C-alpha cells in the first residue's frame, strides 16, 4: 500500500464509521416532539434558532417538546449548557458526534440558520425550518460572479426545507428567489414574518443591564460607559476559511479610541462567528472582544452606536433607531470582487475610509446626543421601512405559530415559488471535462429558451480547475446542482449494490426494496422536494448517474447516445475493452428510459439496430447537437500572440509564431481533439507525411492533449516532420488557432456528431473528414469532403484541398440551431410553447 493511502486510512475509517452510524439512526423511528437546533455549524447557541428555542421553551402549550442543541465544543460553551442543566427537556450534543447524527436523523423538527452537512437528507416525518442568518448587503449565490459552485450544499438544504424564513420582501425576492434561484424549484413555504433574533433586541432597562453584566463577566471593563460596537464581517475567499487581519483590527480600534471620550464610551469588537476562534486567542483583544456565546442581538440591544462594514448586522440594528457608522477602507476592492446589493450612497449612515474619520464621526454623534446624523436620517428611515417592517418583537411567536402550531391564516406565507409557468428540465452534464460532450452540453444550455423552460444542471462537484472552468461556463440562467457528499445507507447495502453492478444486475435497482430505498434517498438528498418534467442523462456513459436519474419522481426520462455505443463497448484500448462492462450495464437500463437520443439520424438507426434487445425501436430518436456560434466567432478573433505568450520565457511557441507570420505560400492543415486512439491522429500524421513529401509548403497543427501525446511526438520525429507537424497540447482557445488555418482535417475511427466539425463550419473552414458512420449527417450538403478511413484516403483529401477541389463551408448556424433545439425538445418529450405571432406591420 502506498504511503499516501496509509496516511488517508484513518480519515477514511473515521468517515466510514460516521456514515454507518448515520445510516443506523436513519433506520430508527422519528422521535415525536423532538426539536434539533444548529447555528453556524455548532458555534454557539445563537441567532434565529436560539430565539425560537426560547420562545418554544416558554410556551405553556408546547411544554411537551424536547430540545437538542448541537455545539462544536460543550466545554467552550459551558455557560449555555449550565443555564439549562436543570431542565430535563434540554440536552446538548457535540457537532459531528454519534449523538449529533442520532439527533439529525431522528428529531421531528430540524432548525438551522445555515446548512446541515452534505450527507444530511431529511426523512419522511421530519419538518425542516431553515432561518438563514441575515438580510444580505453582500451579493449572494448566483449574484456573485462565478458564485454558482459555492451554492451546492446551500441549495441542497433549501430545496429540502419545509419552511424558509425571510425577514423582509427584499430577502424573499433578491436572496431566495434570485440569488439562489429558488423560483421554479422550491416547493415549501416561504415565511416572511420578520426575524426571531431581532426580538432579542427589545430590552427594557433591567434586561439591558443584564447584558452589560454578562459582558463584564466575560472580562470586558465596561463600567458605566456606553457601548460602541464594532462588528466587521468576515473577509476571504471562502466562508470556512476567513482571512481577517487581527493586527489591522487592533490598529483601527486604537485610532478610533484616540478620537472619542473613552471615559464615556467603550469600543467593543464583535467578530464574525467564523473569525471568533482566532480572535479569542489574542490576549490584546480580551478587554474588548464580545464572547461568541452571547447572542449578537442581545448585544445590539445594549449597543448605543454601531460601526459596521458589509455585515448584515446593520439591518438588524436599524430596528433600534440608533446611529450606524460604516467603516469600509477596502470598499473598492470588496465591492468589485464580492459585489454589493446597495451602493454606499444608499446606506443609513456615513461611509468612511479611515479609522480616524470614524473616530471623528463618533465624537460628533456623541456631541449631538447619540442621535442619527441629520444627513443620514431620511436614508435611515427609508431602510427601516424596507428592511424591518415586521420587527415588532413578536416574530418568534409568529414563526412558532406557523411551524409548530400549524396556524397559517393571516400570516405572510408564500407557497407559489415552484409554479412559475415554465416546464422544468434537469440535465446531467457528465464529468465536465474539456471534450465534445461537455461542449455540446454547454452549447445546448445556451440555446434552450429559458423563458419557456426552467433548466437545472447536475454534475459532480470537482476540485479540478479545468473542470471548474467548464462548470463556470454554464449559462447564467441555469440552476446548478453540483453533487456533494455521498450516498447514505448501511455499508452492507452498498456492498450489495456494487456486487449487483459487477454481476450485471444494475437494472434490478428498483426490484429489491432496500436497494430501491438507497437510490430514492440519494435522489432526495440531491434534489429534495424539487420536481422536473423532463430528466436527461446528457452524458450517457455513467451507470451510477443513469441509475440515479431513474429515481426521479414522475418525469419523462431521456438518455443520450453520443456514439455507436455497441461498438464503443467492444473497442480495445491497450488490449482491454475498458468500457464493455459499464456500457453493457447502461444498455440494460435503456428499457426504463422513455427516450434514447442519438446525435444524428444515421447514428440513431445504427444504435437502434445494434441495441434492439435492450429497448423498443420507437424509443430510439435523434437530436442534432447545437453550436454556440457567437462564442466561437468571438474566440476566433482572439489575439493568438497574447493567448500563447509565455511570461517566463518572454516568447511564444514556434507554431504560433509561424501562424502569426501568415505566409500565404504555406498551407496549414489543423486538427483539434483528444490525443487518443479513437481520434487516430496517427493516421493523420502519416497521411500528412505523404502530402508534405510532395508539397513541402504545408504544415499540420494538432491541438489537444491525451494519452498518445508521447507516441505522436515520437512518430513526428521518426518521420522527420519536426518543424512541419506541431503538437500544441491543450489550448484554452483552439478557435483562434483554427481561424489561422486553411483546412480542417478529421481522421477519427468513430464519432457521433463531432462538435469540432460544427466549429469548423462556423469558421467557414474547408473540411476533410474520414467516413465514419454519421459523417454525412455532420456536414451540410455541398460542404467539405468525406474520404475513406485509410492513410491514403486522408492524404487524398488533403491533396484535393491543395488542388482546390474541397468546397468551402456554407453554414447557416442560426437556422441550424433552431432546428437542433426543436429536435431536442421533441426528443425529450417536451411540447414547446408556440412562439407568439409577430405583430402586424404598421
Amino acid at each position: 500500500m502506498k504511503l499516501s493511502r496509509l496516511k488517508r486510512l484513518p480519515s477514511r475509517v473515521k468517515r466510514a464509521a460516521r456514515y454507518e452510524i448515520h445510516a443506523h439512526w436513519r433506520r430508527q423511528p422519528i422521535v415525536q416532539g423532538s426539536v434539533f437546533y444548529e447555528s453556524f455549524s455548532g458555534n454557539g447557541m445563537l441567532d434565529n434558532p436560539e430565539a425560537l428555542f426560547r420562545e418554544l421553551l416558554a410556551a405553556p402549550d408546547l411544554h411537551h417538546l424536547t430540545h437538542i442543541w448541537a455545539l462544536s465544543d460543550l466545554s467552550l460553551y459551558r455557560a449555555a449548557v449550565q443555564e439549562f442543566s436543570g431542565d430535563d427537556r434540554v440536552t446538548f450534543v457535540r457537532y459531528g458526534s454519534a449523538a449529533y447524527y442520532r439527533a439529525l436523523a431522528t428529531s421531528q423538527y430540524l432548525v438551522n440558520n445555515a446548512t446541515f452537512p452534505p450527507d444530511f437528507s431529511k426523512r419522511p416525518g421530519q419538518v425542516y425550518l431553515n432561518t438563514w442568518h441575515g438580510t444580505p448587503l453582500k451579493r449572494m449565490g448566483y449574484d456573485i460572479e462565478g458564485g454558482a459552485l459555492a451554492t451546492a450544499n446551500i441549495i441542497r438544504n433549501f430545496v429540502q426545507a419545509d419552511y424558509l424564513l425571510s425577514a423582509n420582501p427584499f430577502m424573499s425576492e433578491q436572496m431566495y428567489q434570485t440569488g439562489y434561484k429558488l423560483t421554479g424549484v422550491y416547493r415549501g413555504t416561504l415565511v416572511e414574518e420578520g426575524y426571531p433574533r431581532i426580538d432579542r433586541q427589545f430590552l427594557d432597562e433591567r434586561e439591558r443591564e443584564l447584558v452589560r453584566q454578562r459582558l463584564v463577566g466575560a472580562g470586558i471593563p465596561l463600567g458605566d460607559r456606553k457601548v460602541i460596537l464594532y462588528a466587521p464581517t468576515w473577509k476571504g475567499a471562502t466562508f470556512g476559511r476567513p482571512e481577517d487581519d487581527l493586527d489591522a483590527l487592533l490598529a483601527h480600534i486604537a485610532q478610533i479610541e484616540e478620537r472619542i471620550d473613552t471615559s464615556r464610551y467603550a469600543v467593543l469588537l464583535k467578530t464574525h462567528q467564523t473569525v471568533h476562534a482566532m480572535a479569542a486567542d489574542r490576549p490584546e483583544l480580551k478587554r474588548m472582544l464580545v464572547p461568541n456565546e452571547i447572542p449578537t442581538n442581545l448585544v445590539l440591544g445594549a449597543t448605543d452606536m454601531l460601526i459596521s462594514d458589509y455585515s448584515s448586522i446593520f439591518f438588524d440594528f436599524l430596528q433600534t433607531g440608533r446611529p450606524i457608522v460604516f467603516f469600509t477602507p477596502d470598499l473598492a476592492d470588496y465591492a468589485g470582487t464580492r459585489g454589493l446589493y446597495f451602493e454606499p450612497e444608499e446606506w443609513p449612515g456615513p461611509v468612511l475610509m479611515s479609522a480616524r474619520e470614524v473616530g471623528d464621526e463618533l465624537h460628533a454623534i456623541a456631541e449631538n446626543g447619540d442621535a442619527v446624523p441629520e444627513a443620514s436620517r431620511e436614508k435611515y428611515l427609508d431602510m427601516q421601512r424596507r428592511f424591518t417592517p415586521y420587527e415588532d418583537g413578536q416574530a418568534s411567536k409568529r414563526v412558532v405559530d406557523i411551524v409548530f402550531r400549524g396556524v397559517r391564516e393571516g400570516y405572510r406565507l408564500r407557497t407559489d415559488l415552484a409554479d412559475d409557468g415554465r416546464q422544468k428540465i434537469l440535465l446531467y452534464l457528465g464529468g465536465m471535462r474539456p471534450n465534445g460532450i461537455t461542449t455540446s452540453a454547454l452549447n445546448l444550455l445556451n440555446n434552450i429558451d429559458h423563458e419557456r423552460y426552467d433548466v437545472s444542471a447536475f454534475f459532480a462537484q470537482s476540485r479540478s480547475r479545468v473542470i471548474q472552468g467548464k462548470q463556470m461556463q454554464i449559462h447564467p440562467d441555469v440552476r446548478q446542482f453540483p453533487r456533494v457528499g455521498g450516498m447514505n445507507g448501511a455499508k452492507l447495502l452498498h456492498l450489495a449494490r456494487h456486487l449487483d453492478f459487477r454481476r450485471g444486475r444494475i437494472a434490478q435497482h428498483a426490484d429489491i426494496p432496500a436497494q430501491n430505498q438507497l437510490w430514492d434517498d440519494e435522489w432526495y438528498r440531491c434534489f429534495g422536494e424539487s420536481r422536473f418534467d423532463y430528466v436527461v442523462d446528457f452524458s450517457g456513459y455513467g451507470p451510477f448517474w443513469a441509475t440515479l436519474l431513474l429515481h426521479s419522481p414522475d418525469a419523462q426520462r431521456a438518455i443520450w447516445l453520443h456514439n455507436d455505443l455497441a461498438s464503443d463497448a467492444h473497442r480495445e484500448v491497450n488490449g482491454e475493452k475498458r468500457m464493455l462492462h459499464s456500457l453493457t450495464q447502461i444498455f440494460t437500463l435503456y428499457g426504463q428510459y422513455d427516450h434514447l437520443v442519438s446525435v444524428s439520424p444515421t447514428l440513431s438507426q445504427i444504435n437502434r439496430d445494434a441495441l434492439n434487445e435492450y429497448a423498443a425501436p420507437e424509443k430510439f430518436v435523434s437530436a442534432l447537437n447545437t453550436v454556440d456560434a457567437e462564442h466561437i466567432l468571438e474566440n476566433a478573433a482572439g489575439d493568438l500572440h497574447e493567448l500563447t505568450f509565455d511570461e517566463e520565457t518572454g516568447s511564444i511557441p514556434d507554431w504560433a509564431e509561424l501562424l502569426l507570420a501568415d505566409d500565404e505560400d504555406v498551407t496549414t492543415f489543423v486538427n483539434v481533439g483528444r490525443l487518443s486512439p479513437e481520434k487516430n491522429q496517427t493516421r493523420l500524421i502519416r497521411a500528412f507525411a505523404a502530402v508534405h513529401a510532395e508539397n513541402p509548403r504545408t504544415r499540420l497543427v494538432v491541438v489537444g492533449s491525451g494519452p498518445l501525446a508521447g507516441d505522436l511526438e515520437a512518430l513526428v520525429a521518426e518521420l522527420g516532420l519536426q518543424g512541419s507537424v506541431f503538437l500544441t497540447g491543450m489550448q484554452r482557445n483552439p478557435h483562434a488557432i483554427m481561424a489561422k488555418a486553411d483546412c480542417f482535417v478529421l481522421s477519427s475511427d468513430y464519432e457521433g456528431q463531432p462538435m469540432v466539425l460544427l466549429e469548423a463550419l462556423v469558421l467557414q473552414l474547408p473540411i476533410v473528414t474520414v467516413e465514419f458512420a454519421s459523417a454525412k449527417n455532420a456536414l451540410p450538403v455541398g460542404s467539405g469532403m468525406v474520404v475513406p478511413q485509410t492513410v491514403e484516403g486522408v492524404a487524398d483529401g488533403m491533396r484535393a484541398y491543395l488542388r482546390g477541389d474541397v468546397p468551402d463551408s456554407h453554414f447557416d448556424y442560426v437556422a441550424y440551431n433552431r432546428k437542433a433545439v426543436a429536435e431536442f425538445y421533441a426528443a425529450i418529450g417536451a411540447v414547446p410553447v408556440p412562439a407568439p405571432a409577430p405583430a402586424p406591420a404598421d
Side-chain angles (χ1 to χ4, degrees), residues 498-819:
H498 288 296
L499 288 174
D500 282 346
F501 172 68
R502 294 297 174 194
R503 293 168 179 168
R505 300 174 184 169
I506 196 170
Q508 300 171 24
H509 58 94
D511 296 340
I512 303 169
Q515 294 281 343
N516 186 56
Q517 190 64 50
L518 270 185
W519 289 104
D520 284 349
D521 285 351
E522 178 61 6
W523 172 270
Y524 191 88
R525 191 186 71 83
C526 293
F527 303 106
E529 300 290 345
S530 307
R531 296 294 182 269
F532 306 97
D533 299 296
Y534 311 100
V535 172
V536 179
D537 181 350
F538 194 78
S539 168
Y541 278 96
F544 174 87
W545 307 95
T547 306
L548 178 59
L549 294 184
L550 288 169
H551 286 260
S552 60
D554 294 339
Q556 291 200 54
R557 303 179 183 96
I559 187 168
W560 248 244
L561 287 65
H562 287 277
N563 256 315
D564 173 357
L565 290 185
S567 297
D568 264 6
H570 289 89
R571 285 192 175 92
E572 293 187 3
V573 178
N574 297 327
E576 296 181 23
K577 295 180 180 179
R578 295 184 177 178
M579 291 195 292
L580 178 60
H581 185 71
S582 61
L583 279 179
T584 301
Q585 290 301 284
I586 290 178
F587 298 161
T588 66
L589 298 174
Y590 281 176
Q592 299 170 43
Y593 274 86
D594 300 295
H595 312 284
L596 311 175
V597 188
S598 298
V599 293
S600 74
T602 300
L603 191 61
S604 182
Q605 185 60 54
I606 291 169
N607 284 320
R608 183 184 298 117
D609 292 343
L611 303 171
N612 58 42
E613 66 180 289
Y614 298 106
E618 61 271 16
K619 289 190 175 186
F620 290 86
V621 294
S622 68
L624 295 172
N625 286 319
T626 58
V627 61
D628 188 353
E630 289 79 9
H631 179 69
I632 293 166
L633 293 171
E634 181 183 346
N635 278 352
D639 185 335
L640 190 57
H641 186 280
E642 180 181 325
L643 289 167
T644 59
F645 183 76
D646 186 328
E647 292 187 3
E648 187 175 332
T649 63
S651 63
I652 63 174
D654 291 345
W655 57 266
E657 195 169 332
L658 290 170
L659 288 177
L660 287 167
D662 198 20
D663 188 340
E664 293 184 1
D665 291 335
V666 177
T667 299
T668 301
F669 296 99
V670 66
N671 171 272
V672 179
R674 179 172 166 77
L675 306 184
S676 54
E678 72 277 5
K679 301 298 182 182
N680 210 330
Q681 286 96 350
T682 298
R683 176 166 54 210
L684 173 61
I685 292 170
R686 291 190 181 280
F688 175 79
V691 172
H692 184 69
E694 301 161 4
N695 189 337
R697 303 291 291 170
T698 54
R699 61 181 168 232
L700 171 64
V701 178
V702 179
V703 183
S705 62
L708 295 188
D711 293 344
L712 295 178
E713 288 174 359
L715 178 62
V716 170
E718 175 191 329
L719 298 174
L721 294 174
Q722 300 98 323
S724 300
V725 174
F726 302 95
L727 303 178
T728 72
M730 178 68 70
Q731 296 295 316
R732 58 191 174 98
N733 182 357
H735 303 129
I737 301 170
M738 293 169 69
K740 296 289 185 183
D742 299 293
C743 178
F744 186 86
V745 187
L746 191 67
S747 182
S748 302
D749 289 337
Y750 56 94
E751 294 277 0
Q753 188 201 15
M755 293 305 305
V756 71
L757 284 190
L758 291 175
E759 293 165 359
L761 286 168
V762 169
L763 296 174
Q764 299 184 359
L765 277 173
I767 294 169
V768 173
T769 177
V770 295
E771 190 173 9
F772 50 86
S774 56
K776 290 184 171 62
N777 290 147
L779 289 176
V781 175
S783 293
M785 174 178 285
V786 180
V787 299
Q789 280 186 317
T790 63
V791 170
E792 191 58 28
V794 176
D796 283 345
M798 288 190 277
R799 293 183 184 109
Y801 173 75
L802 292 170
R803 293 194 305 269
D805 292 341
V806 175
D808 292 336
S809 296
H810 300 285
F811 186 51
D812 184 345
Y813 55 79
V814 174
Y816 171 86
N817 272 342
R818 191 183 304 120
K819 175 185 177 183

Side-chain angles (χ1 to χ4, degrees), residues 272-307:
H272 194 280
Q273 55 87 25
T274 62
V275 180
H276 187 269
M278 294 189 297
D281 288 336
R282 297 290 294 268
E284 314 98 293
L285 292 173
K286 178 71 174 174
R287 67 179 179 84
M288 64 182 74
L289 184 64
V290 176
N292 204 39
E293 63 186 33
I294 303 179
T296 299
N297 294 86
L298 280 181
V299 180
L300 290 179
T303 294
D304 299 280
M305 288 184 253
L306 176 69
I307 308 170

Side-chain angles (χ1 to χ4, degrees), residues 361-374:
E361 184 66 34
L362 292 171
H363 177 76
I365 291 172
E367 292 296 301
N368 195 35
D370 295 348
V372 173
E374 180 68 32

